[in-house]
Each structure stands twice: as C-alpha cells, then as structure tokens.
Amino acid sequence: MNNKPIYILGIESSCDETSASITCDDKILSNIIAGQDVHERYGGVVPELASRAHQQQIIPAVAAALEEAKVSKIDLNAIAFTRGPGLIGSLLVGTSFAKAMAMALDIPLIEVNHMQAHVIGNFASRKQELFTPPSFPFLCLTVSGGHTQIIKVDSFLSMEIIGQTMDDAAGEAFDKTAKMLGLPYPGGPEIDKLAQIGNSKAYKFPHPSIPALNFSFSGFKTAILYFLQKEKKADPDFLSKHMADVCASVQQAIIEILLDKVEKAVRLTGIKNVAVAGGVSANSGLRKALLEKQDKNGWTVNIPAFEYCTDNAAMIALYGYHKFKAGVFTTLDITPIARYPF
Ligand code: KG4
Ligand code: ZN
C-alpha cells in the first residue's frame, strides 16, 4: 500500500475572504485568510469590489500558504476549491485560479461545496494527535451570513439538510440588527463584544413559530426595528444608554431560536453528537450555550477553533482530502455556481 502523505492546496473565495491553505493528509499546515476592509464603509459586501479584491489577493495568499506550510507547489497532489454557493464574481476568481494551477501542475482538481466544507471545519486541526473530532453520525448547526441549516452528517461525503431558514440567515439577523444599532459591518462580532457587558434578560424579543426543524429570522428583524423605533421615540438617547443590554438581549434571542431547533433535532433523530459551523459559530454566547447543553442534556458538543468557523480555506482543503481519498475529482471545464445545493 502507498502511504505517501497527500498534500492538498485549498482555495476559498466565495464571499469577502480570500483564503488559501495547505493540508498534509488530515492535518492543517497553513491557513492564510486575507480579509477585505473595502466593504466596511458600505455596511455590507459589494460583489464587484469583492471580486476585484480576490484578484489582487489570491496569488499572495497561495504563495504565503505554501511558504508557511514549507511545501513546494510541485509536491501538491491536488487542488480543491470552493465551487459555490457564493457570489459568482468572487467564486470565478478562485475557480479560474484553481483550474489554471491544476492544469499547469498537471494534478487533479477537486470542487467543494462551501456549506459542506463548513461542516468539515469541525475536523480541522494543526495537531491531530491532541484533537478529538466529532464521531459519526452527528448533527451540525451551520450558521453563517447566508445560511442557517441543521445537517445530519453520516460520513465525510454523506450529509443531509434536515432543517433550514425560510428567509434570512442567523448571520444576517446579527448583521442587520447591528446596522440598525449603527454598528460597523460585519455586525456579528460587534454585537458579540457588546453582549459580553450587557444584560441578556433586559429585553424580550419574539421567537417565531416555524414548523419542523426550520427557522425564520425576517419577522424577528422587523420586531427589533419596531422596538428600536418605539424606544427611541420615548427617549432619543435610548441606544447610547442601553446599547450593551440590547446587544445581549438580541444575541440571547437568536441563540435560543437556534438551540430550540437543535434540541428538537436531537429528540427526533436520537443523535446526541452536536457540532457547529459557519461564521456565527464564532459567537461566544452560542459557544457557551452549547457547552451548557453538553453538561445538562448529555450532548457531546464539538466546536471548531475560531480560525475554522468563519470562511477559511483549511476546511476546503480538508474536504478536498476526503474527496481525494474517495477518488472524486472534477474536470477542467467546471464552472462555479452561486446557488449550490447539497
Ligand atoms: O461563514 P461566514 O464567515 O461567511 C459566510 O459564508 O456567510 O459567516 C459570516 C457571518 C456574518 O454574518 C458575521 O456577522 C457572522 O458570521 N459572525 C458572527 C460572529 N463572527 C462572525 N456572528 C455572531 N457572533 C460572532 N462572534
Ligand atoms: Zn461561509
């Protein structure tokens, strides 16, 4: 049997992070993430600016990933890239780069679904020997700026969405609330920071009643808008006086909405292994609440390191490694897709 290590270059460019990573088998050797400050002044990602920034950043990001990993490009066994879902112009940059490099090096190309890769982020580690990954089957709450899903994961390459949002994603609920509060983009981390010094019981926000394991955040967002309008009418200084309490209460409500459905999913499937993925899984309140469930409800909870929660190429390379082992490759005529179902 051939036991030579497998080196994969992963490329992520679905939204506003240009990222490149090198893995050796299932170990992360490097994970370079170049953000894009250009969107801050617009309060959200501007697609055209995102693709331009990816073009500027992708070559330095790949070079830095190889250098940090101390791997030469001629040692690479395959290139994995995000095919979708995401912004089409941004995806095109990563896809075209991956195709060109795979062709130049004459190595296989592996396409990766960004949302499935977020789940695989739970297996990402630089020190495999000290790390306990989730065991199959497990449930994964994937919460990002564009998605909110509960996924039943049977193996690396077999996953099924068993619940999802009908409208806004949990990350959007954070970002849009932050915008209403006058906080900078992306709002999730800002709300998280302020929530840590606020009282989460100060205000109550409604929990939508949505069937099965699905979610909805659009009514929630409107409820916050009306709440803020009412309070600011009564006291124009309301926000400056109560910002931290509002942040803590909004965050608490989002966490409760998410965890109510995860609890229901655990009951329905009988699976008590619970993992979390996507940018919102960086939220400190959500992480704490999940660990409380581990203690109180007997769940086995897996929370990825911060670096592997928000968009990153390590999860792409790692998912690529599992596809490589299964012999699942793609051809050079592949194109990105903005809406990429499981
Ligand atoms: O997965 P991700 O990096 O990109 C997408 O694929 O969408 O997720 C980005 C989302 C944003 O909505 C951002 O506000 C949110 O993750 N986020 C957070 C935190 N860090 C990032 N939300 C709440 N608390 C955080 N600490
Ligand atoms: Zn993402």
Side-chain angles (χ1 to χ4, degrees), residues 12 14-15 85 114-115 118 142-147 278-279 309-312 315:
E12 157 62 30
S14 65
C15 190
H114 178 88
M115 297 314 295
H118 265 305
T142 307
V143 270
S144 72
H147 295 81
C309 288
T310 45
D311 287 349
N312 68 90
M315 65 184 192

PDB file of all heavy atoms in Angstrom, residues 12 14-15 85 114-115 118 142-147 278-279 309-312 315, ligand 2:
ATOM      1  N   GLU A  12     -10.364  29.280  -1.142  1.00  0.00           N
ATOM      2  CA  GLU A  12     -11.708  29.750  -0.790  1.00  0.00           C
ATOM      3  C   GLU A  12     -11.855  31.208  -1.240  1.00  0.00           C
ATOM      4  O   GLU A  12     -11.039  32.058  -0.884  1.00  0.00           O
ATOM      5  CB  GLU A  12     -11.890  29.623   0.741  1.00  0.00           C
ATOM      6  CG  GLU A  12     -12.939  30.522   1.371  1.00  0.00           C
ATOM      7  CD  GLU A  12     -14.358  30.280   0.890  1.00  0.00           C
ATOM      8  OE1 GLU A  12     -14.705  29.146   0.524  1.00  0.00           O
ATOM      9  OE2 GLU A  12     -15.132  31.262   0.869  1.00  0.00           O
ATOM     10  N   SER A  14     -15.494  32.532  -1.789  1.00  0.00           N
ATOM     11  CA  SER A  14     -16.936  32.609  -2.071  1.00  0.00           C
ATOM     12  C   SER A  14     -17.550  33.951  -1.724  1.00  0.00           C
ATOM     13  O   SER A  14     -18.554  34.341  -2.285  1.00  0.00           O
ATOM     14  CB  SER A  14     -17.675  31.499  -1.321  1.00  0.00           C
ATOM     15  OG  SER A  14     -17.572  31.708   0.067  1.00  0.00           O
ATOM     16  N   CYS A  15     -16.935  34.686  -0.785  1.00  0.00           N
ATOM     17  CA  CYS A  15     -17.559  35.942  -0.363  1.00  0.00           C
ATOM     18  C   CYS A  15     -16.483  37.036  -0.244  1.00  0.00           C
ATOM     19  O   CYS A  15     -15.964  37.497  -1.247  1.00  0.00           O
ATOM     20  CB  CYS A  15     -18.315  35.704   0.935  1.00  0.00           C
ATOM     21  SG  CYS A  15     -19.360  37.098   1.384  1.00  0.00           S
ATOM     22  N   PRO A  85     -21.882  27.483  -2.653  1.00  0.00           N
ATOM     23  CA  PRO A  85     -22.582  28.711  -3.039  1.00  0.00           C
ATOM     24  C   PRO A  85     -21.759  29.939  -2.668  1.00  0.00           C
ATOM     25  O   PRO A  85     -20.866  29.866  -1.843  1.00  0.00           O
ATOM     26  CB  PRO A  85     -23.871  28.635  -2.221  1.00  0.00           C
ATOM     27  CG  PRO A  85     -23.523  27.826  -1.016  1.00  0.00           C
ATOM     28  CD  PRO A  85     -22.479  26.849  -1.461  1.00  0.00           C
ATOM     29  N   HIS A 114     -19.148  24.828  -0.427  1.00  0.00           N
ATOM     30  CA  HIS A 114     -18.719  25.646   0.712  1.00  0.00           C
ATOM     31  C   HIS A 114     -19.448  25.264   2.010  1.00  0.00           C
ATOM     32  O   HIS A 114     -18.836  25.218   3.080  1.00  0.00           O
ATOM     33  CB  HIS A 114     -18.985  27.116   0.353  1.00  0.00           C
ATOM     34  CG  HIS A 114     -18.659  28.097   1.416  1.00  0.00           C
ATOM     35  ND1 HIS A 114     -17.411  28.644   1.559  1.00  0.00           N
ATOM     36  CD2 HIS A 114     -19.413  28.641   2.393  1.00  0.00           C
ATOM     37  CE1 HIS A 114     -17.416  29.490   2.573  1.00  0.00           C
ATOM     38  NE2 HIS A 114     -18.622  29.505   3.109  1.00  0.00           N
ATOM     39  N   MET A 115     -20.747  24.972   1.922  1.00  0.00           N
ATOM     40  CA  MET A 115     -21.518  24.674   3.135  1.00  0.00           C
ATOM     41  C   MET A 115     -21.131  23.306   3.708  1.00  0.00           C
ATOM     42  O   MET A 115     -21.085  23.122   4.926  1.00  0.00           O
ATOM     43  CB  MET A 115     -23.028  24.737   2.853  1.00  0.00           C
ATOM     44  CG  MET A 115     -23.510  26.107   2.425  1.00  0.00           C
ATOM     45  SD  MET A 115     -22.877  27.450   3.450  1.00  0.00           S
ATOM     46  CE  MET A 115     -23.635  27.080   5.021  1.00  0.00           C
ATOM     47  N   HIS A 118     -17.891  23.788   5.510  1.00  0.00           N
ATOM     48  CA  HIS A 118     -18.037  24.358   6.864  1.00  0.00           C
ATOM     49  C   HIS A 118     -18.223  23.235   7.895  1.00  0.00           C
ATOM     50  O   HIS A 118     -17.657  23.275   8.983  1.00  0.00           O
ATOM     51  CB  HIS A 118     -19.240  25.305   6.925  1.00  0.00           C
ATOM     52  CG  HIS A 118     -18.886  26.755   6.712  1.00  0.00           C
ATOM     53  ND1 HIS A 118     -17.941  27.408   7.470  1.00  0.00           N
ATOM     54  CD2 HIS A 118     -19.368  27.675   5.833  1.00  0.00           C
ATOM     55  CE1 HIS A 118     -17.850  28.673   7.058  1.00  0.00           C
ATOM     56  NE2 HIS A 118     -18.696  28.862   6.066  1.00  0.00           N
ATOM     57  N   THR A 142     -25.215  24.714  11.166  1.00  0.00           N
ATOM     58  CA  THR A 142     -24.363  25.557  10.325  1.00  0.00           C
ATOM     59  C   THR A 142     -24.999  26.931  10.197  1.00  0.00           C
ATOM     60  O   THR A 142     -26.077  27.075   9.623  1.00  0.00           O
ATOM     61  CB  THR A 142     -24.177  24.925   8.933  1.00  0.00           C
ATOM     62  OG1 THR A 142     -23.717  23.589   9.112  1.00  0.00           O
ATOM     63  CG2 THR A 142     -23.152  25.682   8.117  1.00  0.00           C
ATOM     64  N   VAL A 143     -24.328  27.906  10.766  1.00  0.00           N
ATOM     65  CA  VAL A 143     -24.900  29.254  10.848  1.00  0.00           C
ATOM     66  C   VAL A 143     -23.917  30.273  10.293  1.00  0.00           C
ATOM     67  O   VAL A 143     -22.871  30.513  10.883  1.00  0.00           O
ATOM     68  CB  VAL A 143     -25.276  29.592  12.319  1.00  0.00           C
ATOM     69  CG1 VAL A 143     -26.686  29.175  12.629  1.00  0.00           C
ATOM     70  CG2 VAL A 143     -24.315  28.959  13.333  1.00  0.00           C
ATOM     71  N   SER A 144     -24.271  30.863   9.147  1.00  0.00           N
ATOM     72  CA  SER A 144     -23.345  31.818   8.528  1.00  0.00           C
ATOM     73  C   SER A 144     -24.112  33.057   8.089  1.00  0.00           C
ATOM     74  O   SER A 144     -25.272  33.238   8.440  1.00  0.00           O
ATOM     75  CB  SER A 144     -22.653  31.148   7.342  1.00  0.00           C
ATOM     76  OG  SER A 144     -23.571  31.004   6.294  1.00  0.00           O
ATOM     77  N   GLY A 145     -23.441  33.885   7.268  1.00  0.00           N
ATOM     78  CA  GLY A 145     -24.098  35.093   6.793  1.00  0.00           C
ATOM     79  C   GLY A 145     -25.175  34.800   5.758  1.00  0.00           C
ATOM     80  O   GLY A 145     -26.073  35.620   5.548  1.00  0.00           O
ATOM     81  N   GLY A 146     -25.098  33.658   5.113  1.00  0.00           N
ATOM     82  CA  GLY A 146     -26.068  33.356   4.068  1.00  0.00           C
ATOM     83  C   GLY A 146     -26.909  32.119   4.346  1.00  0.00           C
ATOM     84  O   GLY A 146     -27.877  31.852   3.628  1.00  0.00           O
ATOM     85  N   HIS A 147     -26.549  31.339   5.362  1.00  0.00           N
ATOM     86  CA  HIS A 147     -27.233  30.066   5.599  1.00  0.00           C
ATOM     87  C   HIS A 147     -27.487  29.815   7.070  1.00  0.00           C
ATOM     88  O   HIS A 147     -26.721  30.257   7.929  1.00  0.00           O
ATOM     89  CB  HIS A 147     -26.394  28.895   5.058  1.00  0.00           C
ATOM     90  CG  HIS A 147     -26.244  28.923   3.576  1.00  0.00           C
ATOM     91  ND1 HIS A 147     -25.315  29.715   2.952  1.00  0.00           N
ATOM     92  CD2 HIS A 147     -26.915  28.266   2.598  1.00  0.00           C
ATOM     93  CE1 HIS A 147     -25.427  29.547   1.643  1.00  0.00           C
ATOM     94  NE2 HIS A 147     -26.383  28.671   1.396  1.00  0.00           N
ATOM     95  N   GLY A 278     -19.739  27.512  10.573  1.00  0.00           N
ATOM     96  CA  GLY A 278     -20.120  28.791   9.965  1.00  0.00           C
ATOM     97  C   GLY A 278     -19.735  29.962  10.849  1.00  0.00           C
ATOM     98  O   GLY A 278     -19.474  29.798  12.046  1.00  0.00           O
ATOM     99  N   GLY A 279     -19.727  31.149  10.247  1.00  0.00           N
ATOM    100  CA  GLY A 279     -19.244  32.345  10.938  1.00  0.00           C
ATOM    101  C   GLY A 279     -19.885  32.603  12.287  1.00  0.00           C
ATOM    102  O   GLY A 279     -19.205  33.001  13.240  1.00  0.00           O
ATOM    103  N   CYS A 309     -14.063  28.622  11.933  1.00  0.00           N
ATOM    104  CA  CYS A 309     -15.507  28.913  11.965  1.00  0.00           C
ATOM    105  C   CYS A 309     -15.906  29.816  10.815  1.00  0.00           C
ATOM    106  O   CYS A 309     -16.790  29.494  10.037  1.00  0.00           O
ATOM    107  CB  CYS A 309     -15.872  29.609  13.278  1.00  0.00           C
ATOM    108  SG  CYS A 309     -15.831  28.518  14.682  1.00  0.00           S
ATOM    109  N   THR A 310     -15.259  30.978  10.707  1.00  0.00           N
ATOM    110  CA  THR A 310     -15.588  31.886   9.605  1.00  0.00           C
ATOM    111  C   THR A 310     -14.919  31.337   8.330  1.00  0.00           C
ATOM    112  O   THR A 310     -14.214  30.328   8.380  1.00  0.00           O
ATOM    113  CB  THR A 310     -15.102  33.320   9.914  1.00  0.00           C
ATOM    114  OG1 THR A 310     -13.792  33.221  10.435  1.00  0.00           O
ATOM    115  CG2 THR A 310     -15.983  33.988  10.953  1.00  0.00           C
ATOM    116  N   ASP A 311     -15.156  32.027   7.213  1.00  0.00           N
ATOM    117  CA  ASP A 311     -14.686  31.464   5.946  1.00  0.00           C
ATOM    118  C   ASP A 311     -13.173  31.256   5.942  1.00  0.00           C
ATOM    119  O   ASP A 311     -12.414  32.158   6.295  1.00  0.00           O
ATOM    120  CB  ASP A 311     -15.110  32.379   4.789  1.00  0.00           C
ATOM    121  CG  ASP A 311     -16.609  32.265   4.547  1.00  0.00           C
ATOM    122  OD1 ASP A 311     -17.227  31.353   5.113  1.00  0.00           O
ATOM    123  OD2 ASP A 311     -17.146  33.083   3.785  1.00  0.00           O
ATOM    124  N   ASN A 312     -12.755  30.071   5.542  1.00  0.00           N
ATOM    125  CA  ASN A 312     -11.333  29.725   5.542  1.00  0.00           C
ATOM    126  C   ASN A 312     -11.095  28.606   4.531  1.00  0.00           C
ATOM    127  O   ASN A 312     -12.007  27.843   4.218  1.00  0.00           O
ATOM    128  CB  ASN A 312     -10.914  29.267   6.951  1.00  0.00           C
ATOM    129  CG  ASN A 312     -11.554  27.938   7.334  1.00  0.00           C
ATOM    130  OD1 ASN A 312     -10.997  26.879   7.072  1.00  0.00           O
ATOM    131  ND2 ASN A 312     -12.749  27.958   7.927  1.00  0.00           N
ATOM    132  N   MET A 315     -10.842  24.372   5.635  1.00  0.00           N
ATOM    133  CA  MET A 315     -11.990  23.461   5.533  1.00  0.00           C
ATOM    134  C   MET A 315     -12.161  22.969   4.086  1.00  0.00           C
ATOM    135  O   MET A 315     -12.619  21.857   3.856  1.00  0.00           O
ATOM    136  CB  MET A 315     -13.271  24.158   6.041  1.00  0.00           C
ATOM    137  CG  MET A 315     -13.734  25.333   5.213  1.00  0.00           C
ATOM    138  SD  MET A 315     -15.164  26.157   5.964  1.00  0.00           S
ATOM    139  CE  MET A 315     -15.691  27.229   4.611  1.00  0.00           C
TER     140      MET A 315
HETATM  141 ZN    ZN B   2     -19.150  30.540   4.956  1.00  0.00          ZN
END
